[in-house]
Amino acid sequence: MDKNILEDILQNNRKYIKLGEVATYIPQLAKANKEDLGLCIKDMNGDMYACGDYEKKFTIQSMSKVITFTSCLLDNSIEDVKKTVSFEPTSTAFNAIVDLEIKNRHRPLNPFINAGAIACISMLKENTYQEKFDRIINFIKLLSLNENIDYDEEVYESERKTGSRNRALAYYMQSTGIIDKDVDIEKLLEVYFKICSIKVNCIDLSNIALIYANNGVNPFTKERYFSKEVSKIVVATMALCGMYDESGEIAVTVGIPSKSGVSGGILSVLPSKMGIGIYGPALNDKGTSVAGLKILESVSEKFDLSIY
Amino acid sequence: MDKNILEDILQNNRKYIKLGEVATYIPQLAKANKEDLGLCIKDMNGDMYACGDYEKKFTIQSMSKVITFTSCLLDNSIEDVKKTVSFEPTSTAFNAIVDLEIKNRHRPLNPFINAGAIACISMLKENTYQEKFDRIINFIKLLSLNENIDYDEEVYESERKTGSRNRALAYYMQSTGIIDKDVDIEKLLEVYFKICSIKVNCIDLSNIALIYANNGVNPFTKERYFSKEVSKIVVATMALCGMYDESGEIAVTVGIPSKSGVSGGILSVLPSKMGIGIYGPALNDKGTSVAGLKILESVSEKFDLSIY
Amino acid sequence: MDKNILEDILQNNRKYIKLGEVATYIPQLAKANKEDLGLCIKDMNGDMYACGDYEKKFTIQSMSKVITFTSCLLDNSIEDVKKTVSFEPTSTAFNAIVDLEIKNRHRPLNPFINAGAIACISMLKENTYQEKFDRIINFIKLLSLNENIDYDEEVYESERKTGSRNRALAYYMQSTGIIDKDVDIEKLLEVYFKICSIKVNCIDLSNIALIYANNGVNPFTKERYFSKEVSKIVVATMALCGMYDESGEIAVTVGIPSKSGVSGGILSVLPSKMGIGIYGPALNDKGTSVAGLKILESVSEKFDLSIY
Amino acid sequence: MDKNILEDILQNNRKYIKLGEVATYIPQLAKANKEDLGLCIKDMNGDMYACGDYEKKFTIQSMSKVITFTSCLLDNSIEDVKKTVSFEPTSTAFNAIVDLEIKNRHRPLNPFINAGAIACISMLKENTYQEKFDRIINFIKLLSLNENIDYDEEVYESERKTGSRNRALAYYMQSTGIIDKDVDIEKLLEVYFKICSIKVNCIDLSNIALIYANNGVNPFTKERYFSKEVSKIVVATMALCGMYDESGEIAVTVGIPSKSGVSGGILSVLPSKMGIGIYGPALNDKGTSVAGLKILESVSEKFDLSIY
């Protein structure tokens, strides 16, 4: 892999920024610099290839669902997880409620839509809501090899204030028994919103992704953070459900299991090979970085990375 | 009309009680005596025909939606009401969320499903949530000609504690703008739950119904409580939407505009003729009094009351 | 009732024509004169009040569903009919297929949507498809007091050629067992299309409606064509389902059980009082005569006809 | 790879046969021997590992959709294909019609559900329906390296006679313009039913799969049958949509892009490595070979084949 080629790819795809818009549902996201564009790739040898705004911080948003799902699988048997959330793709939007009602015995279709992630947090074994949050942020510090990970208080407050849809999803799941009736929905959502507000950059994402590419083992220290089985479940679910109702399209054009977030980040796992982090806050209409996606497509094509 | 015939009708339909079950989603409703069965009919001359447990008190539940809708129409132009709730029947259950997402520009389909009633309360012009409740209970006192109307504190508390589905509906509507973002959903739902907990008996229901049968005017004092236009809107909506997804079936077999509640009450309006109140807490699978419905059918058939 | 007032109402509502469009899905309907507007009211005394283009012929289209449903009820027990079609309103369009899949055990929600009418035709007891058609057209001759009723060969041919959606509905019902597997769907649809192509005018419609207003009895000859029970079922179903997903709106503004057709006709039944036929081919976006509906609303308001 | 290990895997999973049932919707499928179980794996060196009933013939059914989709991509630009069918997974059943109505601008969600495959056949560039069929069967002969491929006349006739659901899907698509109005739906479906009736065995399937594993090139003759781009599109779509609404579950447990058929066959592509054909007519409730799936899972686990 050649840093100059990556630099070319980044610049060649910069033109797509103008096809997207920065998220505006909360003011803190609207303040993002639409022109930002960053890329970081890390391979098994520890070589890192980065360009653009790869050190810029942004909130992890839905990419956190990868870590939440992993944690949920560590605390519960697969059979128990499946009783609460299935692993099937959805052809509706990330915040749709319709599937909760008419399909799948009320289970969220997968852990990468909002309802699924909220249900996963409710299944974490910690006793208090604070402990649930601490556990996730500490896990992110571990996987990103970055002790300085923190969350953005303003984004959190803003998400919390405007989160009616997520409240609807959570209360709906409580009404059908997917979330236990004793759960304090407001406190559960505080954890969810706080997790979404954790700040990362492209290096952090590439480090996290690399652990999944290596089946749960830190390739440098050889430390195992989770089992190969858990890793494969998470990566397969990313491949099928990571990009919402655009997952099929992206499997065809990119072929690298990925999870995007509304802040403009993309976390991509190339099994046995590399971890990729991308940032570009201008989003397409599905809520994914528009230029980021084009960069990922170009990288996949240039280096023949599709797993299919 | 002959009281003995009504007594016979009541006794002949008592056998249907065993086909139903008392509501159990809160303990207070589960305590109802399944065998209770009452009927009260009041006509324009002020003659009252009553039998069975017609003085027994029960909570008004969804029958309150008739008064809430009326109040909403008094406070807002029809055009404004229609922007928030349409007047169309639904073929899904009373607490379904799916229609909010896929149909009708996110508006509740009608004011007699939970979402519609909650939206109507949010449109009342009172400044505080307490005032909204006071206005509705006072209106019920007025229409039922009963100053002693009160609400059941235990039922209210119980509804409030278990109301996840209604929270989901309300937050969903807030997320789509049907309910304003500044509304305190929890306080709005307290009003909704408290209204549902107002206690009435069959006489109260028949009095309320009679006002609607007389196009908004108290037939005895000649006092007008609301316009003929509002009355016709409400009664027509009862005819089409009052019995949830069983409205068509009941139009065919009974032909009297009605609204049922999960406590086992039925409020029925026979335009220009009479008001009817029925009570029987054993419910069919749609949440309507099973024997009560059969009594209504028999009364309609016996006295040839269908409006169609 | 005064013919001059009706004439005024017709002229005052003529302005709404420009808000509508003539149906264009087949060329024969597109040839209608958008400016046509006719009204005919017939009461129990045999008095007829008519104005405008009340003698103009047009195809009966969906108004035929009233007669098809009636015939189906004559041939089968209510219980058997209900196994195939329910009597519930729909909040989706007249040719929607979604409700057939997800609701109601695959039954069409009511006999006045296309799927419901097609299912009703399949339940007629005649042995041959030709006999099914003959039976319906003869029944229409009888009810309209018009021996000269015929069908439009060109409209029929055109409907048949372009009827993919109706084929989809019929085959779908066959696949779920609502229509028997031995039924020749193509021949069944020929009957359906031919029935829709029967030509009537406002007088014919008002005569048909009058029989229903009189509970199945010809008020002049006292001949009974169908039972009071059947009549009430059909009229109640018109009230709740006759105007597709606009039925609630029209109950509120008009309050007269009606059935519209895409040719621009409206057939309205005022129980115990009168039959109404209206014609105006400019349609609103639900497929109902836009000025015709306004005329019906004005007539209802002027003469205080709402049944609610 | 060791033939003895495969033999053990096959025998160890034989017990799952009793959890499934042979398809019965046509008599010809019901005649299958429920106990049959076969496996064939072919690798890039041409080594073949086969056991059980790997030479038994069965109809290709939905596995043909892989070849139909490939052919469609060869005849049309990706952009044109996408106007007719998207590449997104579905969470509803293979023969569901609901998604055609409410999602995705009426396009079938992917080419591996019935509607998608029928739409793909309509896009083939051949002039006659016979030529469309000839083209597909000849392509299957080419990819399976088997000149003797034929179709089962009885299965074809039976599918044709009972195919109401597929007729509904096809006519629905014609009504929305996904299939052109000039297409003779009956003849188009004859092609579809005939393609589904083509007979193959496990060896044929493994040969076909191997071409896809090798990106469109016959690994022995080096002949290219289709481009790498087309191959990756098809394999990615298999990974996401190949197993209907169980695709996510199978990605997680197996991790090999696959397509199943209701005859009990499974065609699996392991990119750059091997082609797999499995047969076992006892189906799970999703319509996939129940023991076949368990064999695939065991093979994947034993030889660490998951691509994720």
Side-chain angles (χ1 to χ4, degrees):
Chain A
M1 198 159 271
D2 180 325
K3 191 173 171 308
N4 289 333
I5 296 177
L6 293 182
E7 186 71 47
D8 284 354
I9 286 175
L10 187 139
Q11 296 308 339
N12 289 340
N13 286 295
R14 185 175 288 283
K15 60 180 178 282
Y16 293 106
I17 287 176
K18 66 172 177 293
L19 299 181
E21 290 302 332
V22 165
T24 56
Y25 71 97
I26 58 168
Q28 284 70 17
L29 287 176
K31 285 190 289 189
N33 180 359
K34 192 177 162 178
E35 300 300 320
D36 281 349
L37 207 52
L39 167 65
C40 180
I41 299 179
K42 204 152 176 189
D43 69 18
M44 292 297 175
N45 305 318
D47 292 329
M48 182 174 114
Y49 309 86
C51 56
D53 306 296
Y54 67 94
E55 292 181 304
K56 194 94 172 217
K57 287 275 175 192
F58 49 91
T59 50
I60 193 167
Q61 299 294 346
S62 286
M63 292 168 286
S64 67
K65 293 177 169 74
V66 173
I67 289 91
T68 303
F69 180 37
T70 306
S71 304
C72 179
L73 287 167
L74 293 175
D75 282 14
N76 302 275
S77 72
I78 294 189
E79 280 63 38
D80 281 347
V81 174
K82 275 192 208 166
K83 282 175 199 156
T84 299
V85 56
S86 69
F87 305 157
E88 294 304 324
T90 170
S91 49
T92 50
F94 63 92
N95 59 1
I97 204 162
V98 47
D99 286 340
L100 286 182
E101 186 154 49
I102 61 174
K103 281 179 190 164
N104 201 11
R105 291 171 287 136
H106 301 308
R107 291 178 299 167
L109 277 165
N110 68 64
F112 292 161
I113 54 176
N114 293 9
I118 294 167
C120 281
I121 296 174
S122 80
M123 291 188 82
L124 297 180
K125 293 302 185 199
E126 278 73 21
N127 286 322
T128 70
Y129 296 99
Q130 181 63 44
E131 284 168 1
K132 282 174 191 271
F133 173 69
D134 289 345
R135 186 260 184 89
I136 296 291
I137 195 169
N138 286 333
F139 200 30
I140 291 178
K141 286 178 185 176
L142 196 69
L143 298 177
S144 66
L145 319 178
N146 180 355
E147 271 303 306
N148 298 315
I149 293 286
D150 204 354
Y151 77 98
D152 186 314
E153 185 74 30
E154 274 186 45
V155 169
Y156 161 63
E157 275 302 332
S158 201
E159 298 267 12
R160 198 177 62 76
K161 269 182 203 139
T162 60
S164 298
R165 182 65 63 94
N166 287 316
R167 281 183 182 83
L169 294 168
Y171 279 116
Y172 192 89
M173 289 191 285
Q174 191 172 52
S175 81
T176 58
I178 292 295
I179 292 181
D180 195 85
K181 68 179 163 47
D182 296 329
V183 168
D184 182 327
I185 294 295
E186 203 52 42
K187 288 204 176 307
L188 181 70
L189 287 170
E190 282 176 16
V191 177
Y192 175 74
F193 293 135
K194 214 179 268 186
I195 290 172
C196 287
S197 305
I198 290 171
K199 286 179 291 183
V200 292
N201 64 18
C202 291
I203 305 175
D204 298 326
L205 292 181
S206 69
N207 279 325
I208 295 170
L210 190 61
I211 309 287
Y212 288 90
N214 200 34
N215 287 317
V217 172
N218 181 323
F220 316 122
T221 66
K222 307 303 175 195
E223 204 177 345
R224 176 169 288 285
Y225 299 136
F226 44 87
S227 71
K228 182 172 177 176
E229 187 193 11
V230 163
S231 188
K232 283 192 175 304
I233 292 174
V234 175
V235 175
T237 309
M238 288 173 69
L240 268 77
C241 321
M243 306 301 264
Y244 308 120
D245 45 333
E246 206 179 18
S247 296
E249 177 76 18
I250 290 167
V252 158
T253 55
V254 176
I256 306 176
S258 300
K259 181 78 207 76
S260 62
V262 80
S263 51
I266 304 175
L267 177 156
S268 300
V269 174
L270 191 62
S272 307
K273 296 202 180 123
M274 60 185 80
I276 303 175
I278 296 178
Y279 177 56
L283 309 178
N284 67 15
D285 62 353
K286 305 287 187 183
T288 296
S289 176
V290 60
L293 206 48
K294 283 292 180 179
I295 289 173
L296 192 61
E297 191 177 334
S298 298
V299 169
S300 174
E301 200 183 349
K302 184 72 189 175
F303 301 103
D304 198 15
L305 303 182
S306 166
I307 63 170
Y308 301 112
Chain B
M1 199 158 271
D2 181 326
K3 192 175 170 309
N4 289 334
I5 296 178
L6 292 182
E7 186 71 47
D8 284 354
I9 287 176
L10 188 137
Q11 296 310 338
N12 290 339
N13 287 294
R14 186 176 286 286
K15 61 178 177 282
Y16 293 105
I17 287 176
K18 65 172 179 293
L19 299 181
E21 290 301 332
V22 165
T24 55
Y25 71 97
I26 56 169
Q28 285 70 17
L29 288 176
K31 284 189 288 189
N33 179 358
K34 191 177 164 180
E35 299 300 320
D36 282 349
L37 206 53
L39 167 65
C40 180
I41 298 181
K42 205 155 177 188
D43 69 17
M44 292 296 175
N45 305 319
D47 291 329
M48 183 174 112
Y49 308 86
C51 55
D53 307 295
Y54 67 95
E55 292 183 304
K56 193 94 173 218
K57 288 277 176 192
F58 48 91
T59 50
I60 193 166
Q61 298 294 346
S62 286
M63 292 169 286
S64 66
K65 292 176 168 75
V66 173
I67 289 91
T68 303
F69 181 36
T70 305
S71 306
C72 179
L73 286 166
L74 292 174
D75 282 13
N76 302 274
S77 71
I78 294 190
E79 281 61 41
D80 281 348
V81 174
K82 274 191 206 165
K83 281 175 199 155
T84 298
V85 55
S86 68
F87 306 156
E88 295 304 326
T90 170
S91 50
T92 49
F94 63 93
N95 61 0
I97 204 161
V98 46
D99 286 340
L100 287 183
E101 185 155 49
I102 61 174
K103 281 180 189 161
N104 201 12
R105 291 172 285 136
H106 300 309
R107 292 178 299 168
L109 277 166
N110 68 64
F112 294 160
I113 52 174
N114 294 10
I118 294 167
C120 282
I121 297 174
S122 80
M123 291 187 82
L124 298 179
K125 292 304 185 198
E126 280 71 21
N127 285 321
T128 68
Y129 296 99
Q130 180 63 43
E131 285 168 1
K132 282 174 192 271
F133 173 69
D134 291 345
R135 187 261 184 88
I136 296 292
I137 194 168
N138 287 332
F139 200 30
I140 290 178
K141 287 177 186 177
L142 196 70
L143 298 177
S144 65
L145 318 178
N146 182 353
E147 270 304 306
N148 299 315
I149 294 284
D150 203 353
Y151 76 97
D152 186 316
E153 185 74 30
E154 274 185 45
V155 169
Y156 161 62
E157 276 301 331
S158 200
E159 298 266 13
R160 198 176 62 77
K161 268 182 203 140
T162 60
S164 299
R165 181 65 62 97
N166 287 315
R167 283 182 181 84
L169 293 168
Y171 279 116
Y172 193 88
M173 289 191 285
Q174 189 171 56
S175 80
T176 59
I178 292 296
I179 293 181
D180 195 85
K181 68 180 164 47
D182 296 329
V183 168
D184 183 327
I185 294 296
E186 202 53 41
K187 289 203 176 305
L188 181 70
L189 288 171
E190 282 175 16
V191 178
Y192 174 76
F193 293 134
K194 214 179 271 187
I195 290 172
C196 288
S197 305
I198 289 172
K199 285 179 292 183
V200 293
N201 64 19
C202 291
I203 307 176
D204 299 326
L205 292 182
S206 70
N207 279 325
I208 295 171
L210 190 63
I211 310 286
Y212 288 90
N214 199 34
N215 286 317
V217 173
N218 181 324
F220 317 121
T221 66
K222 307 302 176 197
E223 202 177 348
R224 176 169 289 285
Y225 300 137
F226 43 87
S227 71
K228 182 173 177 175
E229 188 193 11
V230 162
S231 188
K232 284 195 175 302
I233 291 173
V234 176
V235 177
T237 309
M238 286 172 71
L240 270 77
C241 322
M243 306 300 265
Y244 309 118
D245 45 331
E246 205 179 17
S247 295
E249 177 76 19
I250 290 166
V252 158
T253 54
V254 176
I256 305 176
S258 301
K259 182 75 207 79
S260 62
V262 79
S263 51
I266 305 176
L267 178 157
S268 299
V269 175
L270 191 63
S272 308
K273 297 203 180 120
M274 60 185 78
I276 304 175
I278 296 178
Y279 176 57
L283 309 178
N284 67 15
D285 63 351
K286 305 288 185 183
T288 296
S289 176
V290 60
L293 206 50
K294 283 292 179 180
I295 289 172
L296 193 62
E297 191 177 335
S298 297
V299 169
S300 174
E301 199 182 350
K302 184 74 189 172
F303 301 102
D304 198 15
L305 303 181
S306 167
I307 65 171
Y308 301 111
Chain C
M1 198 158 273
D2 181 324
K3 191 176 170 309
N4 288 334
I5 295 178
L6 292 182
E7 185 72 48
D8 284 353
I9 285 175
L10 187 137
Q11 295 308 339
N12 290 339
N13 286 294
R14 185 176 287 285
K15 60 178 178 284
Y16 292 106
I17 287 175
K18 65 173 178 292
L19 299 181
E21 291 301 331
V22 165
T24 56
Y25 71 97
I26 57 170
Q28 285 70 16
L29 288 176
K31 284 189 288 188
N33 180 359
K34 189 178 163 179
E35 299 300 321
D36 282 349
L37 206 54
L39 167 65
C40 181
I41 298 180
K42 205 155 179 189
D43 68 19
M44 292 296 175
N45 305 317
D47 291 330
M48 182 174 112
Y49 308 87
C51 56
D53 306 296
Y54 68 94
E55 293 182 304
K56 193 92 173 221
K57 288 276 178 192
F58 48 92
T59 50
I60 194 167
Q61 299 293 347
S62 286
M63 292 169 286
S64 66
K65 293 176 168 75
V66 172
I67 289 91
T68 304
F69 180 37
T70 306
S71 305
C72 179
L73 287 167
L74 292 174
D75 282 13
N76 301 275
S77 71
I78 294 190
E79 282 60 41
D80 280 348
V81 174
K82 275 191 206 165
K83 282 176 199 155
T84 297
V85 56
S86 68
F87 305 157
E88 295 304 325
T90 170
S91 50
T92 50
F94 64 92
N95 61 1
I97 204 162
V98 48
D99 286 340
L100 286 183
E101 185 155 49
I102 61 174
K103 282 180 190 164
N104 201 15
R105 291 173 287 137
H106 302 309
R107 292 178 299 169
L109 277 165
N110 67 65
F112 293 160
I113 53 174
N114 293 10
I118 294 166
C120 282
I121 297 173
S122 80
M123 291 187 81
L124 297 179
K125 294 302 186 198
E126 279 72 21
N127 286 321
T128 69
Y129 296 99
Q130 180 63 44
E131 285 169 1
K132 282 175 191 272
F133 173 71
D134 290 346
R135 186 260 184 89
I136 295 292
I137 195 167
N138 286 332
F139 200 29
I140 290 178
K141 287 178 185 176
L142 196 70
L143 298 176
S144 65
L145 320 177
N146 182 354
E147 271 302 308
N148 300 316
I149 294 285
D150 204 353
Y151 76 97
D152 186 315
E153 184 75 28
E154 274 185 46
V155 169
Y156 160 62
E157 275 302 330
S158 201
E159 299 267 12
R160 199 177 61 77
K161 269 182 202 140
T162 61
S164 298
R165 181 67 62 98
N166 287 316
R167 282 182 182 84
L169 293 169
Y171 279 117
Y172 193 88
M173 289 190 286
Q174 189 171 55
S175 79
T176 59
I178 291 295
I179 292 180
D180 196 85
K181 68 181 164 45
D182 295 328
V183 168
D184 183 327
I185 293 296
E186 203 52 42
K187 290 204 176 305
L188 180 70
L189 288 171
E190 282 175 17
V191 178
Y192 174 75
F193 294 134
K194 215 178 269 186
I195 290 172
C196 287
S197 305
I198 289 171
K199 285 179 293 183
V200 293
N201 64 19
C202 291
I203 307 176
D204 299 325
L205 292 182
S206 69
N207 279 325
I208 296 170
L210 190 62
I211 310 285
Y212 288 90
N214 200 33
N215 287 318
V217 172
N218 181 325
F220 317 122
T221 65
K222 307 302 175 197
E223 202 177 348
R224 177 169 288 286
Y225 300 137
F226 43 87
S227 71
K228 181 173 178 176
E229 187 193 12
V230 162
S231 188
K232 284 194 176 302
I233 291 174
V234 176
V235 177
T237 309
M238 287 172 70
L240 269 77
C241 321
M243 306 301 264
Y244 307 118
D245 45 332
E246 205 179 17
S247 296
E249 177 76 19
I250 290 166
V252 159
T253 55
V254 176
I256 305 175
S258 301
K259 182 76 207 79
S260 62
V262 79
S263 51
I266 304 177
L267 177 157
S268 299
V269 174
L270 191 62
S272 306
K273 296 201 180 123
M274 60 186 76
I276 304 174
I278 296 178
Y279 176 57
L283 309 178
N284 67 16
D285 62 351
K286 305 286 186 184
T288 296
S289 175
V290 59
L293 206 49
K294 284 291 180 180
I295 290 172
L296 192 61
E297 190 178 335
S298 299
V299 169
S300 173
E301 198 182 349
K302 185 74 189 173
F303 301 103
D304 197 15
L305 302 181
S306 167
I307 63 169
Y308 299 113
Chain D
M1 199 160 269
D2 180 325
K3 193 174 171 307
N4 288 334
I5 296 178
L6 293 182
E7 185 72 46
D8 284 352
I9 286 175
L10 188 139
Q11 295 309 340
N12 290 338
N13 287 293
R14 185 175 288 283
K15 60 179 177 284
Y16 292 107
I17 287 176
K18 67 172 175 295
L19 300 181
E21 291 301 332
V22 165
T24 55
Y25 71 97
I26 56 170
Q28 285 70 18
L29 287 176
K31 284 189 289 189
N33 180 359
K34 191 178 164 181
E35 299 301 320
D36 281 350
L37 206 52
L39 166 65
C40 180
I41 299 179
K42 204 154 176 189
D43 69 18
M44 292 296 175
N45 305 320
D47 292 329
M48 182 174 115
Y49 308 87
C51 55
D53 306 296
Y54 67 94
E55 292 181 303
K56 193 96 173 216
K57 287 277 177 191
F58 48 92
T59 51
I60 193 165
Q61 299 292 347
S62 287
M63 293 169 284
S64 66
K65 293 176 167 76
V66 172
I67 288 91
T68 303
F69 180 36
T70 305
S71 305
C72 180
L73 287 167
L74 292 174
D75 281 14
N76 302 274
S77 72
I78 294 189
E79 281 62 39
D80 282 348
V81 174
K82 276 191 207 166
K83 281 175 199 156
T84 298
V85 57
S86 69
F87 305 157
E88 296 303 326
T90 172
S91 48
T92 48
F94 64 93
N95 60 0
I97 204 162
V98 48
D99 286 340
L100 285 182
E101 186 156 50
I102 61 173
K103 282 180 189 163
N104 200 10
R105 292 171 285 137
H106 301 309
R107 291 177 299 168
L109 276 166
N110 67 64
F112 293 160
I113 53 176
N114 293 9
I118 294 167
C120 281
I121 296 173
S122 81
M123 292 187 81
L124 297 180
K125 293 304 185 197
E126 278 72 20
N127 286 321
T128 69
Y129 296 99
Q130 180 64 44
E131 285 169 0
K132 283 174 192 269
F133 173 70
D134 289 345
R135 185 259 185 89
I136 296 291
I137 195 168
N138 287 332
F139 201 29
I140 290 177
K141 287 178 186 177
L142 196 68
L143 298 177
S144 65
L145 319 179
N146 180 355
E147 272 302 306
N148 298 317
I149 294 285
D150 204 352
Y151 77 98
D152 185 316
E153 186 73 30
E154 275 187 45
V155 170
Y156 161 64
E157 275 303 331
S158 200
E159 298 268 11
R160 198 176 63 76
K161 269 183 203 139
T162 61
S164 297
R165 181 66 61 95
N166 287 316
R167 282 182 182 84
L169 294 169
Y171 279 117
Y172 192 90
M173 289 191 285
Q174 190 171 54
S175 80
T176 59
I178 292 294
I179 292 181
D180 195 84
K181 68 179 164 45
D182 296 329
V183 167
D184 182 327
I185 294 295
E186 204 51 43
K187 289 205 176 306
L188 180 69
L189 288 171
E190 283 175 14
V191 178
Y192 174 75
F193 294 134
K194 214 178 271 186
I195 290 173
C196 288
S197 306
I198 289 171
K199 286 179 291 183
V200 292
N201 64 20
C202 292
I203 306 175
D204 298 325
L205 292 182
S206 69
N207 279 324
I208 295 171
L210 189 63
I211 310 286
Y212 288 90
N214 200 34
N215 287 316
V217 173
N218 181 324
F220 317 120
T221 65
K222 307 304 175 194
E223 203 177 346
R224 175 169 290 285
Y225 300 135
F226 44 86
S227 72
K228 182 173 178 176
E229 188 193 9
V230 162
S231 187
K232 285 194 174 302
I233 291 174
V234 175
V235 176
T237 308
M238 288 173 70
L240 269 77
C241 322
M243 306 300 265
Y244 308 119
D245 46 333
E246 205 179 18
S247 296
E249 177 76 18
I250 290 167
V252 158
T253 53
V254 175
I256 305 176
S258 301
K259 182 76 206 78
S260 62
V262 79
S263 51
I266 304 175
L267 176 158
S268 301
V269 175
L270 190 63
S272 307
K273 295 203 181 123
M274 59 186 79
I276 305 174
I278 297 178
Y279 176 56
L283 308 179
N284 67 16
D285 62 353
K286 305 287 186 182
T288 296
S289 175
V290 60
L293 206 50
K294 283 292 181 180
I295 290 172
L296 193 60
E297 191 178 333
S298 298
V299 169
S300 174
E301 199 182 350
K302 184 74 189 173
F303 300 104
D304 197 16
L305 302 181
S306 168
I307 64 170
Y308 301 113

